[in-house]
Amino acid sequence: MRRLQSAPTRAVQRLPVAVEGQWWRRRAKSMLMLMLVAAVTMWLRPLVTAQPLCRARTVRTGKVFNVIQDVQGDRLYFRSTTTRLIKHPCKKNIALYLGKQVFFTTDNFETSLLPFTIPTSMQVGVPEVTSAHFTGSLLLLVVNHKVYTYDYESNSWNLSLGIKHPVTHVSGDNCCYTGSLFCVDVSNLVFAYFRGDQISQTYIYYSNTGGFSFWKYHYDRQAEIVGSLGGIFHLFSLSQVGMLVVDQGKGMFKYSDHPLNRSLGLSFDYNGTLDIVIAPGQKGILLLWFEKSLLFSRNAGQLVDTVRVKKGEQTLFTSIFEAQITIHNIAVNENELAVITREDNLYYGNLGIVPSSIIKIEFLKGEFTYRMYTIDMHSQLELTALLIPQPGTSLIPLVMVSNPHSLGFQATFYESGYTSDGNTKYKLDIYLKQQQHWGRTDFNFTSSLKRATMSTLTVDIANKEISCVDIKPLSTLISVGCDLDKKIVIQNTVSACSKGVLDALALQDNYSFIIEKEFYDPGFQGRQSSKDLHVFYSYQQLGCPLLVYYDTPWKPVVELWKKDRFQEVVDAEYVLLEVNGQFSYSYSLTAKSAMCTSQPQNWTTMIKESGGPFFWNRENYVSCHDPNNDAPLRWPDVQYQILGGRTANQIVFSHNNGFYVFYISIVDPYYSYCQLETVFSIYVYGAFPVQLVSAGVVMVLLISSILGSVWLAYMIPRLLRTARGRRMTSFVAQLYGRCKMVCQFRASATARTGSKPMGRHRSS
């Protein structure tokens, strides 16, 4: 049986690996150099005897059409001289056959099929298919330069939205790990483009909805790229967008992000129009082919070489063209390749590692296979594999990561006991974390720490036996990104309910409060509103508010939780915004006192840039302490609105009691890849009504009253002994006598009539 074999050509990182107690140390930089000079070889081996494949025989399909049935809609067709069979990478029974007629199956062609059609109501014109791709439960088809989606679960068709120019191809990848939102996002990313267009003038579209809607894709400095477009792909094994540039008979891949965006991949001969197949599993294996050429790459296009034809240990031909083979079609899965030729021969290849010496492996197992893992910022991961070789042999384990620019590892290999029949068991412990945190690589080798990436980890045996029943490599997908189990919680040890300031039952009973118009702005610009705001308090979302004294500078204590377990107190930088637009608070620091070297961001500018509130996050935050921030510090006295981190900045409340509902967002891009945010409430208390007269004035008036009373007590007796004083005494006496007489007269009149004057009276 023929096999496809290859020397390791992926960007493989072999950091310290302990083999039977001996440590081998290699730095990533030297490994990169080794990768660049490594021989890139892959072989096809024809089946022994190479018998013709096409023989006539009758096959029972399970369903027979006794009469000719009318086909509804426009029959689709594929113009190419070679047919295509596109299988769904994750759902093995679903496939699409492209030829003079198109057939779609959901049962692996076990029943007879009518030609695949598109409804006439779609008005496609010429129903020619030029490209097809599966995304989840959708089949994307490029028909007459437009993209259509067919939902085979609901049997419905739709025209993709957003594409304004003709396209010929769609490209994407499929992640088959179940239960992962990240994996769903991978499968939903699709490109649509016109193959063969000049790159500087072409229009490229992308979709993150699985093909329902597309948006124009802006490739960095696209107008400066010379050459035609051979294809554009999401290369998830490297966390890059790769563009195949074709110019003067040479092809090369151009990448979107650091560190690979500084140069192109190595060029290769581009003869004919090559179809690019991304092997399943996100390992970075690409196959480029047309009738007379078959090329491959193990590192997502950085190195591309021809596939050689080999028999036994003898290389028969160095290329498909030299072997005078005409390829009819190819098929590939995670570990194998098959090529069927126009000469009715079948060639089979293995995508594993080339053995220099052969041993038999009896057991290779790891609990991490067919699972997906996440490494968040400053996190790590430990995985273990168990290996059992044939007695008396020594194996060579090989640990590979597809993206050494972002993921590094250290592996230890040792004996761990014996089986019941005496075979030695070996254990392989793999310790992984972000490449940037190992401290072994240069900045020019590692990817940006702020950017979430992914990598595939593969464990294989370098010298294992090749047989009809292979022991497949162990593989898993690792997301260097957001751990969705993480969340932030505001510490609330002293609440307004626990101190008796507010009643929890009252807060749950449709409680509401009023924000006066002088203290809030619905546009979050710090301007007074035209009317008061009536706010309903959501106890279910906010609980009992945290109690804060108005006259004490304050900032929240932010806790990081993973699921239901406390992790740590967050010391990263974060921002607060009152969700109702209240601005009756300020910050204790200014840009100058916060030691900013550039102008800091603030809510006013961020709201203007994003078009609304609540969009200040780790993606758009720029620290004023960053030496690479070239925004000059023009206004050093503005408030510094970032809390946490290196500063002691705090919130200072004005002289008002009441509720504040805050939105909090962790903006430090190096704390976590997650958008950590939440909403919480506080109740500010202790602010007594503002005095209309100052304390100094009151004190002066009080002292003046006391002094005036003392002066009168001294002066009145002296005045009464003078002539003027005696006249005043006589006048007061006469006035008293007249008043007394009037009162006696009114009392006697009342007694005679028996009536009472109007008003309230006390009974005797």
Side-chain angles (χ1 to χ4, degrees):
M1 177 173 289
R2 295 210 160 195
R3 292 246 173 232
L4 179 150
Q5 305 176 6
S6 170
T9 59
R10 193 181 314 172
V12 177
Q13 183 202 17
R14 303 181 189 177
L15 291 178
V17 180
V19 181
E20 298 180 353
Q22 300 297 320
W23 288 86
W24 301 341
R25 297 186 177 273
R26 295 184 175 91
R27 286 193 171 273
K29 184 185 296 185
S30 63
M31 282 307 303
L32 178 63
M33 295 173 60
L34 183 62
M35 175 196 72
L36 293 177
V37 300
V40 184
T41 53
M42 179 177 284
W43 293 278
L44 282 178
R45 301 194 179 202
L47 291 171
V48 178
T49 70
Q51 295 181 359
L53 297 177
C54 298
R55 297 185 297 275
R57 63 188 179 121
T58 303
V59 178
R60 179 73 176 181
T61 63
K63 184 177 181 181
V64 178
F65 299 116
N66 295 320
V67 296
I68 299 176
Q69 296 190 9
D70 292 333
V71 178
Q72 302 296 322
D74 296 326
R75 292 194 182 191
L76 299 171
Y77 68 92
F78 185 62
R79 189 183 293 274
S80 175
T81 57
T82 57
T83 60
R84 300 286 191 275
L85 179 63
I86 303 174
K87 300 199 68 173
H88 196 301
C90 307
K91 302 174 182 179
K92 303 302 183 182
N93 288 332
I94 296 176
L96 180 74
Y97 173 83
L98 297 176
K100 293 181 180 180
Q101 295 188 97
V102 177
F103 294 93
F104 175 76
T105 179
T106 57
D107 59 6
N108 208 22
F109 298 103
E110 291 184 2
T111 59
S112 297
L113 298 167
L114 292 173
F116 196 42
T117 62
I118 187 169
T120 54
S121 59
M122 303 303 295
Q123 298 180 352
V124 299
V126 180
E128 179 187 357
V129 177
T130 54
S131 181
H133 176 68
F134 285 103
T135 62
S137 63
L138 293 180
L139 171 62
L140 302 186
L141 291 168
V142 180
V143 182
N144 198 17
H145 302 301
K146 294 181 181 179
V147 179
Y148 295 87
T149 63
Y150 174 64
D151 189 332
Y152 50 81
E153 292 182 350
S154 62
N155 191 30
S156 60
W157 287 84
N158 286 287
L159 174 66
S160 296
L161 303 176
I163 297 179
K164 307 298 183 183
H165 300 85
V167 296
T168 61
H169 285 73
V170 288
S171 69
D173 202 351
N174 280 272
C175 180
C176 300
Y177 294 86
T178 58
S180 170
L181 292 177
F182 176 81
C183 206
V184 174
D185 292 339
V186 167
S187 300
N188 282 338
L189 291 171
V190 181
F191 279 118
Y193 57 94
F194 197 108
R195 188 172 71 179
D197 252 5
Q198 290 298 308
I199 296 176
S200 59
Q201 301 175 0
T202 194
Y203 293 91
I204 302 172
Y205 295 91
Y206 79 97
S207 172
N208 56 12
T209 61
F212 282 111
S213 300
F214 283 83
W215 295 267
K216 188 177 179 182
Y217 180 74
H218 298 278
Y219 198 92
D220 187 36
R221 304 179 71 174
Q222 179 179 332
E224 302 175 12
I225 301 176
V226 178
S228 61
L229 181 62
I232 185 167
F233 311 92
H234 288 284
L235 303 173
F236 295 104
S237 61
L238 281 175
S239 299
Q240 300 273 354
V241 172
M243 177 185 288
L244 177 55
V245 181
V246 181
D247 186 37
Q248 299 180 1
K250 294 290 185 180
M252 61 196 74
F253 280 89
K254 182 175 176 58
Y255 302 94
S256 57
D257 293 285
H258 177 82
L260 300 181
N261 61 348
R262 295 173 298 162
S263 61
L264 299 174
L266 295 183
S267 63
F268 56 91
D269 291 333
Y270 190 93
N271 300 319
T273 302
L274 298 178
D275 283 337
I276 291 89
V277 178
I278 301 176
Q282 289 77 44
K283 296 180 181 180
I285 298 176
L286 303 181
L287 293 163
L288 304 85
W289 72 281
F290 83 114
E291 293 181 347
K292 293 295 184 180
S293 178
L294 178 59
L295 310 173
F296 83 103
S297 173
R298 287 189 177 275
N299 44 35
Q302 296 179 77
L303 300 174
V304 178
D305 197 14
T306 60
V307 175
R308 293 162 172 77
V309 180
K310 192 173 183 179
K311 184 177 182 180
E313 297 301 319
Q314 179 184 3
T315 299
L316 301 179
F317 305 101
T318 59
S319 69
I320 297 295
F321 179 78
E322 182 182 333
Q324 297 183 354
I325 293 173
T326 303
I327 298 176
H328 182 71
N329 207 340
I330 71 170
V332 62
N333 60 23
E334 291 87 346
N335 302 294
E336 299 164 307
L337 167 67
V339 176
I340 186 172
T341 70
R342 292 280 183 85
E343 296 78 21
D344 295 340
N345 290 325
L346 176 66
Y347 293 79
Y348 177 78
N350 184 289
L351 303 181
I353 305 303
V354 174
S356 56
S357 59
I358 303 294
I359 69 167
K360 183 177 181 180
I361 302 298
E362 296 188 351
F363 189 79
L364 173 61
K365 182 180 180 181
E367 297 297 332
F368 55 84
T369 54
Y370 303 110
R371 296 182 58 186
M372 187 170 180
Y373 295 88
T374 299
I375 298 178
D376 203 341
M377 194 79 72
H378 304 287
S379 300
Q380 59 234 11
L381 177 66
E382 294 185 39
L383 302 175
T384 300
L386 181 64
L387 306 91
I388 302 176
Q390 193 178 36
T393 60
S394 178
L395 52 80
I396 302 175
L398 184 62
V399 181
M400 299 174 287
V401 291
S402 66
N403 190 358
H405 308 287
S406 65
L407 182 63
F409 69 87
Q410 179 171 297
T412 305
F413 181 60
Y414 56 93
E415 292 185 12
S416 63
Y418 298 92
T419 64
S420 58
D421 54 359
N423 286 1
T424 304
K425 295 191 296 184
Y426 292 90
K427 198 172 183 182
L428 181 66
D429 293 335
I430 308 167
Y431 180 71
L432 302 110
K433 63 181 179 180
Q434 291 165 281
Q435 186 68 275
Q436 296 88 344
H437 294 154
W438 282 102
R440 298 168 174 160
T441 53
D442 187 84
F443 168 80
N444 293 322
F445 179 77
T446 56
S447 59
S448 171
L449 187 59
K450 294 173 61 174
R451 188 171 67 93
T453 58
M454 64 166 284
S455 180
T456 299
L457 172 75
T458 302
V459 176
D460 203 354
I461 305 300
N463 56 340
K464 70 179 179 182
E465 180 188 43
I466 298 178
S467 62
C468 294
V469 181
D470 286 335
I471 294 181
K472 304 302 182 185
L474 307 179
S475 182
T476 188
L477 192 62
I478 299 173
S479 167
V480 183
C482 172
D483 186 343
L484 297 178
D485 292 330
K486 287 185 176 180
K487 62 181 179 179
I488 55 172
V489 176
I490 305 304
Q491 190 181 97
N492 190 359
T493 55
V494 180
S495 70
C497 299
S498 64
K499 293 298 182 180
V501 177
L502 296 174
D503 182 15
L505 294 178
L507 291 176
Q508 297 176 62
D509 189 19
N510 294 325
Y511 188 87
S512 63
F513 58 93
I514 302 294
I515 303 176
E516 297 178 357
K517 61 183 180 181
E518 294 84 5
F519 301 113
Y520 87 96
D521 175 15
F524 300 93
Q525 297 298 316
R527 306 184 185 96
Q528 293 185 7
S529 183
S530 59
K531 59 180 180 180
D532 294 345
L533 181 64
H534 189 199
V535 180
F536 287 94
Y537 187 83
S538 176
Y539 185 86
Q540 183 178 4
Q541 179 186 14
L542 301 171
C544 195
L546 178 68
L547 190 62
V548 177
Y549 185 61
Y550 89 98
D551 199 29
T552 302
W554 165 87
K555 68 176 181 179
V557 178
V558 188
E559 298 176 344
L560 178 69
W561 288 66
K562 187 172 181 180
K563 292 185 177 180
D564 296 326
R565 297 184 62 183
F566 170 78
Q567 301 295 307
E568 63 183 10
V569 173
V570 177
D571 60 357
E573 294 173 310
Y574 59 90
V575 293
L576 296 176
L577 182 65
E578 212 286 327
V579 300
N580 298 302
Q582 290 194 76
F583 52 81
S584 54
Y585 61 91
S586 60
Y587 297 84
S588 61
L589 296 182
T590 64
K592 181 178 180 181
S593 58
M595 307 299 290
C596 288
T597 58
S598 57
Q599 195 66 41
Q601 296 171 315
N602 57 56
W603 277 111
T604 302
T605 58
M606 297 305 294
I607 289 174
K608 288 181 179 179
E609 290 177 4
S610 59
F614 317 122
F615 292 107
W616 195 357
N617 51 49
R618 67 177 300 273
E619 298 293 337
N620 54 19
Y621 172 66
V622 179
S623 173
C624 69
H625 304 104
D626 187 351
N628 297 320
N629 186 355
D630 55 359
L633 184 58
R634 296 178 178 176
W635 300 282
D637 295 327
V638 299
Q639 293 186 29
Y640 181 67
Q641 298 185 353
I642 297 94
L643 296 98
R646 66 174 70 187
T647 71
N649 198 20
Q650 293 178 298
I651 295 289
V652 179
F653 293 99
S654 62
H655 197 98
N656 291 289
N657 296 333
F659 289 89
Y660 292 81
V661 181
F662 282 109
Y663 162 80
I664 179 173
S665 172
I666 306 296
V667 295
D668 186 347
Y670 300 107
Y671 183 72
S672 171
Y673 289 106
C674 300
Q675 176 54 44
L676 296 172
E677 57 187 1
T678 191
V679 177
F680 68 99
S681 65
I682 66 171
Y683 184 80
V684 176
Y685 77 104
F688 294 102
V690 179
Q691 298 177 350
L692 299 178
V693 182
S694 66
V697 174
V698 173
M699 187 64 68
V700 170
L701 292 176
L702 181 61
I703 294 174
S704 300
S705 300
I706 295 174
L707 293 177
S709 300
V710 173
W711 183 82
L712 289 174
Y714 171 75
M715 292 300 298
I716 289 176
R718 294 188 61 183
L719 289 173
L720 293 177
R721 290 194 290 270
T722 63
R724 184 178 180 183
R726 285 193 290 272
R727 288 195 297 271
M728 291 180 62
T729 302
S730 176
F731 172 76
V732 171
Q734 293 176 7
L735 180 62
Y736 173 75
R738 291 176 181 177
C739 291
K740 182 178 181 182
M741 183 171 59
V742 171
C743 291
Q744 289 175 349
F745 173 77
R746 287 177 59 84
S748 61
T750 302
R752 288 194 300 271
T753 59
S755 63
K756 291 185 178 181
M758 296 179 65
R760 295 181 179 179
H761 298 267
R762 295 180 180 178
S763 58
S764 305

